[in-house]
Amino acid sequence: MMNINKLTFVSILITVLNFVGSNSLSAQTVWLDELDLSTATQGYGVPMKNKSCDGKTLTIAGETFDRGFGSHSESLLTILLEGNAKLFTAKVGIDDEVKGQRPAAEFIVNGDGKQLWASGVMRLGDAAKPCTVKLDGVKKLELLVTDGGNGNYYDHVDWVDAKFETSGATTFKTFNPVSSEVYILTPKPAAEPKLTGAKVFGVRPGSPFQHLVTATGDRPMTFSAKGLPKGLKINKKTGLITGVLTTKGSYKVTLFAKNAKGKAERQFRIECGDQIALTPPMGWNSWNCFAQEVSADKVKRAANAMVSSGLINHGWTYINIDDFWENHRDSKDPSLRGKLRDEAGYIIPNSRFVDMKLLADYVHGLGLKIGLYSSPGPWTCGGSAGSFGYEKQDAESYAKWGFDYLKYDWCSYGNVINGLPENDPYKVSSLSYNGGSELETAKKPFIEMGKLLREQKRDIVFSVCQYGMSDVWKWGGSVGGNCWRTTNDITDTWTSMKNIALDQDRSAPYAKPGNWNDPDMLIVGHVGWGNPHPSKLKPDEQYMHISLWSLFAAPLLIGCDMEKLDDFTLNLLTNDEVIEVNQDPLGKQATCLHAIGDLRIYVKDLEDGSKAVGFCNFGLEKINMAYADFSKLGLNGQFVVRDLWRQKDIANVNTQSGKLAIDVPVHGVLLYKFSSVN
Ligand code: GAL
């Protein structure tokens, strides 16, 4: 009995071992769609399992597929194979769902940092291309889709029938090489007063003067100024300087702030002349957050939050209404419908904006300024009433209501150039780049509105928006623009932010006080164009975004829901040493002076002779090195190096013999200031 039992046990054991053994040795198939695809990053939308980017059946050149990964370039999925896969097979192509568009993309397979396979640039209608890659020993696999060299518009890309052959039962982990760790660098402001904000302010003679002196520190605080020119006064409680200057001139003023803990003073220059916006405008704009959902109530609440969050104490000023304050051509939303203009051609705001003057007064009453939006064509980009034919009335309305900023957006103006279809402006479509590449027509509407704005008896910042057509940076200033968009619209993805950043060097020489390149608005905090969600940028990417926009001397327009500011976002927006880089009175824009692989080093000259330097890691590997090539950055001599995010001196470097330890996270940045000690 005992023996039989033993025998049975042994034979069962052998059977089990055989089963396990054969299972771990025999080939298995692991489908890509069985893995966690949510760790993938992509240029638009979210990673889709067995569906296209738009959630439809995966379809390439008429052929449909049940299984696969639908994405959007630039797309990256990182998979840890740990040497357990033998083969990867798939078919790749652009999904038919973007018919009528001109997407292009390239599919790439990288193994342990080496390219193993590339599809070549693929276009819409190309048959699904088979991909077979041997993987023996590969530990880390990257499935990458780049934009094919023409931007990533409509690049809906599919990996179909994608699977791994393994040597045994296994499953693979996917991961994202960009850290999700949220960490705060900006130190809390001290209790003692510290004056912040712009050090120079431009005003035209005769225009109402409004500038808020800002400071951090305990409240109550009192403000005063020495050397204010005749015609101006400062409100001791709020720090608001108001009045009118009648004569041109440069005025040196000393500002003071005092509280129970101490006092601070700082030099301030008022330039009364032809130029305004002597430092890049800072504020908020409704578009990236609310888009067509904007209302006067939301604008008021954003203004209130600018104050209650404390952002106002760091120089944030403008509250700008974007598209959808006007009545709409054909919206189904009744609150956007109504008479576009009165008999005299003056625009009638939609029912969400009952009293523009009251709204402007409210915002001014908080010490802030207010802006709005229009288009030179008959329609805005969103299909609301534009200024075409009514430019004079519109400029007058903006001034009469008390607005301080206008974003003027090309959109349907392209159709105007080509002649309105059957002379019926209602048939003009909204968005068109037509005509924007011919210099004279590209300039024309902005010359006209620029002149009209200058004729008003108040200073209105003129923001030219036409996405960079005809190298706008070369002439935007000459048409009266204070800033001009250099790019298409930004979205809250790494691809979007990165591509815009990489494109800024060519326009950099044209930035100067009063004339700024605008790489579009900020995408930190809760953004989402009507469906707000936390920005999809990872924390390190957000540090890089704010650092670069500061180095670029870009207008800083917060695009998020101001009532949902979290500690991390506030930390990004309240670092006075970082903001000071952006607001530096010299008005230079940084360019990349040295690149080592994916490390790009941006340098901005500052008024006091120091330099702001951004070490930006655009790659997928951490960068750890001893940096010594200071001459490439224009640095020669002995320097104190200050970490601006941490607000701490971190090194003393001699550029001849010294080295600086650089440790930059994936998609992260170090923002330093080099001040000469000679
Ligand atoms: C786009 C513009 C956006 C936003 C939008 C409004 O053309 O680039 O920033 O203003 O129009 O419809």
Side-chain angles (χ1 to χ4, degrees):
M1 200 57 186
M2 202 54 176
N3 279 345
I4 293 167
N5 265 352
K6 246 190 196 166
L7 257 181
T8 318
F9 176 70
V10 170
S11 69
I12 288 172
L13 192 67
I14 288 169
T15 317
V16 167
L17 284 177
N18 265 343
F19 175 73
V20 170
S22 73
N23 200 39
S24 64
L25 292 173
S26 71
Q28 299 261 323
T29 299
V30 176
W31 288 80
L32 183 65
D33 58 78
E34 289 167 354
L35 309 185
D36 177 9
L37 302 178
S38 70
T39 61
T41 48
Q42 53 187 56
Y44 174 84
V46 291
M48 300 298 278
K49 182 174 157 170
N50 301 332
K51 291 274 173 239
S52 68
C53 181
D54 280 349
K56 299 185 184 144
T57 302
L58 295 157
T59 314
I60 303 171
E63 200 181 342
T64 58
F65 303 88
D66 293 337
R67 303 189 79 162
F69 165 34
S71 187
H72 192 293
S73 84
E74 286 184 0
S75 158
L76 173 71
L77 178 65
T78 310
I79 307 157
L80 294 175
L81 301 175
E82 304 302 2
N84 292 329
K86 287 171 148 181
L87 195 69
F88 174 69
T89 55
K91 283 180 171 179
V92 298
I94 296 192
D95 200 284
D96 286 359
E97 71 189 355
V98 292
K99 259 207 180 94
Q101 307 297 336
R102 283 201 216 140
E106 180 165 25
F107 297 73
I108 294 167
V109 181
N110 291 330
D112 296 333
K114 274 188 238 123
Q115 192 177 101
L116 305 179
W117 184 84
S119 65
V121 174
M122 294 193 66
R123 298 178 198 281
L124 183 67
D126 288 351
K129 196 174 249 182
C131 157
T132 305
V133 185
K134 280 203 177 132
L135 294 174
D136 293 307
V138 170
K139 291 202 161 87
K140 192 173 88 183
L141 191 78
E142 284 167 5
L143 301 184
L144 188 73
V145 190
T146 64
D147 70 8
N150 68 344
N152 74 336
Y153 296 100
Y154 296 99
D155 289 351
H156 293 209
V157 294
D158 300 336
W159 298 85
V160 295
D161 289 347
K163 51 188 184 292
F164 297 93
E165 222 170 82
T166 74
S167 33
T170 185
T171 129
F172 301 125
K173 274 214 174 95
T174 63
F175 85 110
N176 194 313
V178 193
S179 163
S180 297
E181 191 200 342
V182 177
Y183 58 102
I184 289 188
L185 294 179
T186 303
K188 285 257 169 300
E192 297 81 38
K194 185 168 177 272
L195 286 150
T196 61
K199 292 177 182 157
V200 58
F201 181 75
V203 65
R204 296 184 311 152
S207 293
F209 189 106
Q210 182 182 329
H211 177 77
L212 186 70
V213 178
T214 57
T216 55
D218 285 359
R219 266 48 185 181
M221 195 177 286
T222 54
F223 296 89
S224 56
K226 212 168 86 192
L228 269 188
K230 214 173 132 241
L232 299 186
K233 60 176 192 313
I234 183 165
N235 179 316
K236 283 197 165 8
K237 271 197 195 148
T238 61
L240 192 67
I241 305 178
T242 52
V244 178
L245 290 179
T246 46
T247 36
K248 287 188 175 180
S250 180
Y251 305 94
K252 284 194 177 135
V253 179
T254 311
L255 302 174
F256 302 90
K258 199 172 154 205
N259 69 8
K261 296 282 168 42
K263 57 182 174 196
E265 71 171 80
R266 192 158 100 157
Q267 297 309 305
F268 181 62
R269 195 157 43 89
I270 295 171
E271 292 290 345
C272 181
D274 298 326
Q275 195 57 281
I276 58 168
L278 297 183
T279 62
M282 288 174 67
W284 174 86
N285 173 294
S286 60
W287 185 251
N288 288 359
C289 171
F290 297 125
Q292 63 194 46
E293 303 300 327
V294 69
S295 66
D297 180 52
K298 286 189 168 117
V299 171
K300 264 187 174 176
R301 280 159 47 188
N304 290 340
M306 190 68 102
V307 178
S308 61
S309 64
L311 280 174
I312 190 173
N313 300 330
H314 301 271
W316 298 94
T317 305
Y318 291 94
I319 299 292
N320 291 352
I321 309 164
D322 208 276
D323 205 352
F324 290 95
W325 62 269
E326 322 86 332
N327 276 308
H328 199 268
R329 179 181 49 198
D330 50 16
S331 171
K332 292 200 174 64
D333 182 338
S335 68
L336 297 174
R337 297 304 295 275
K339 216 167 146 204
L340 306 181
R341 294 180 178 274
D342 68 14
E343 273 62 46
Y346 287 92
I347 189 154
I348 305 172
N350 66 41
S351 63
R352 301 174 186 172
F353 290 88
V354 177
D355 192 332
M356 283 300 217
K357 167 109 180 47
L358 209 67
L359 181 60
D361 289 349
Y362 180 85
V363 172
H364 287 145
L366 297 173
L368 300 169
K369 294 187 178 179
I370 186 160
L372 87 179
Y373 167 97
S374 189
S375 299
W379 306 108
T380 66
C381 301
S384 314
S387 294
F388 182 68
Y390 302 98
E391 294 81 0
K392 187 166 181 295
Q393 287 96 325
D394 282 359
E396 282 172 17
S397 294
Y398 308 151
K400 190 179 74 192
W401 295 333
F403 276 75
D404 308 295
Y405 194 113
L406 175 71
K407 173 175 168 185
Y408 205 44
D409 192 350
W410 179 266
C411 276
S412 64
Y413 190 77
N415 299 90
V416 172
I417 298 163
N418 294 334
L420 301 175
E422 298 160 37
N423 280 335
D424 180 356
Y426 279 81
K427 292 199 177 140
V428 175
S429 73
S430 291
L431 187 64
S432 161
Y433 298 134
N434 291 345
S437 51
E438 294 137 42
L439 188 60
E440 285 320 303
T441 39
K443 282 172 148 183
K444 195 171 171 248
F446 297 105
I447 293 177
E448 187 176 8
M449 185 51 92
K451 183 169 167 286
L452 286 163
L453 291 181
R454 280 194 304 280
E455 280 167 15
Q456 307 309 313
K457 285 204 162 48
R458 62 181 297 117
D459 293 348
I460 302 177
V461 172
F462 189 29
S463 160
V464 169
C465 179
Q466 44 83 290
Y467 341 111
M469 295 186 293
S470 287
D471 293 352
V472 61
W473 42 90
K474 295 183 180 158
W475 51 267
S478 72
V479 301
N482 296 113
C483 51
W484 44 81
R485 277 268 294 276
T486 53
T487 84
N488 265 308
D489 289 20
I490 198 167
T491 58
D492 61 324
T493 64
W494 164 250
T495 308
S496 170
M497 195 277 282
K498 176 192 76 175
N499 288 344
I500 289 177
L502 294 179
D503 214 24
Q504 295 310 301
D505 278 5
R506 58 190 170 148
S507 53
Y510 299 92
K512 60 177 192 294
N515 298 145
W516 310 106
N517 289 303
D518 175 6
D520 208 359
M521 300 174 285
L522 302 178
I523 41 157
V524 300
H526 274 71
V527 291
W529 300 269
N531 293 302
H533 54 259
S535 172
K536 284 188 243 157
L537 290 193
K538 295 289 179 73
D540 283 316
E541 297 171 341
Q542 300 196 33
Y543 277 117
M544 198 205 274
H545 177 34
I546 300 295
S547 302
L548 279 175
W549 265 235
S550 297
L551 286 161
F552 291 157
L556 296 180
L557 291 172
I558 301 170
C560 71
D561 185 339
M562 296 289 288
E563 291 184 317
K564 288 198 182 122
L565 285 163
D566 52 37
D567 288 350
F568 177 70
T569 311
L570 275 168
N571 136 81
L572 292 170
L573 302 174
T574 56
N575 192 312
D576 296 313
E577 296 196 16
V578 174
I579 292 173
E580 222 169 273
V581 170
N582 175 266
Q583 293 288 298
D584 187 74
L586 194 61
K588 293 281 184 203
Q589 178 172 333
T591 52
C592 176
L593 293 187
H594 190 197
I596 311 169
D598 289 321
L599 176 69
R600 293 174 66 81
I601 308 169
Y602 285 85
V603 181
K604 181 183 200 278
D605 290 335
L606 302 174
E607 194 187 37
D608 67 358
S610 64
K611 288 180 197 288
V613 180
F615 295 87
C616 302
N617 181 357
F618 283 88
L620 289 169
E621 302 288 337
K622 203 165 140 51
I623 291 172
N624 222 309
M625 66 186 291
Y627 187 79
D629 262 339
F630 298 103
S631 60
K632 290 223 164 71
L633 311 182
L635 291 166
N636 247 305
Q638 187 77 32
F639 290 90
V640 172
V641 183
R642 186 165 176 84
D643 182 326
L644 297 181
W645 279 109
R646 294 176 176 83
Q647 302 187 355
K648 248 192 212 148
D649 292 347
I650 51 145
N652 221 300
V653 174
N654 184 303
T655 58
Q656 303 303 313
S657 52
K659 291 191 168 173
L660 188 68
I662 299 289
D663 193 351
V664 203
V666 173
H667 291 183
V669 65
L670 301 175
L671 182 60
Y672 290 167
K673 180 168 161 175
F674 285 70
S675 306
S676 172
V677 291
N678 298 332

